[in-house]
Amino acid sequence: MSYAPYVVAGWICLIGIYGIVTSTNLIHLALCLTVTQSSTYVLLLAIGYVDGGGPPIFKGVKLGTTAVDPVVQSLTLTDIVVSVTVLALILALALNVHKRAETMNPDEIAEMAG
């Protein structure tokens, strides 16, 4: 068993978290969050991968044939949909903050009431 996909997922996550921590722009912050979320795709697909496994289509295939886990693939697709939705919400909030505070720097945004 190779641990390379798990290492890659960890590095992608760390790069995204580093970008989130050092971000000085709300758009950059949203993109770094997307990078961090994309590490979960790699992790989920690495968990569901089977050496020598074929696609999870069983019509016309003899019994006992090795296949990858289709549940993990569907979870990855669900994760992508959730990621896009969260990114759209964050970008909409960033545009609203820019309209009210006239800045995209999180450190320069004054506390707003109401």
Side-chain angles (χ1 to χ4, degrees), residues 34-104:
T34 303
V35 169
T36 305
Q37 287 178 334
S38 67
S39 70
T40 60
Y41 312 152
V42 176
L43 182 65
L44 283 171
L45 292 174
I47 289 171
Y49 180 74
V50 177
D51 281 334
I57 301 170
F58 301 111
K59 183 174 181 170
V61 177
K62 66 179 184 173
L63 194 60
T65 303
T66 306
V68 295
D69 190 4
V71 174
V72 177
Q73 292 178 1
S74 64
L75 285 174
T76 303
L77 288 174
T78 304
D79 193 12
I80 292 169
V81 171
V82 169
S83 173
V84 168
T85 306
V86 167
L87 180 64
L89 177 66
I90 290 173
L91 290 176
L93 290 173
L95 288 175
N96 195 15
V97 166
H98 179 65
K99 188 188 311 181
R100 291 179 184 240
E102 297 180 355
T103 183
M104 292 298 268

Side-chain angles (χ1 to χ4, degrees), residues 21-36:
V21 170
T22 61
S23 179
T24 58
N25 189 327
L26 292 175
I27 304 297
H28 182 261
L29 183 74
L31 292 177
C32 289
L33 180 64
T34 303
V35 169
T36 305

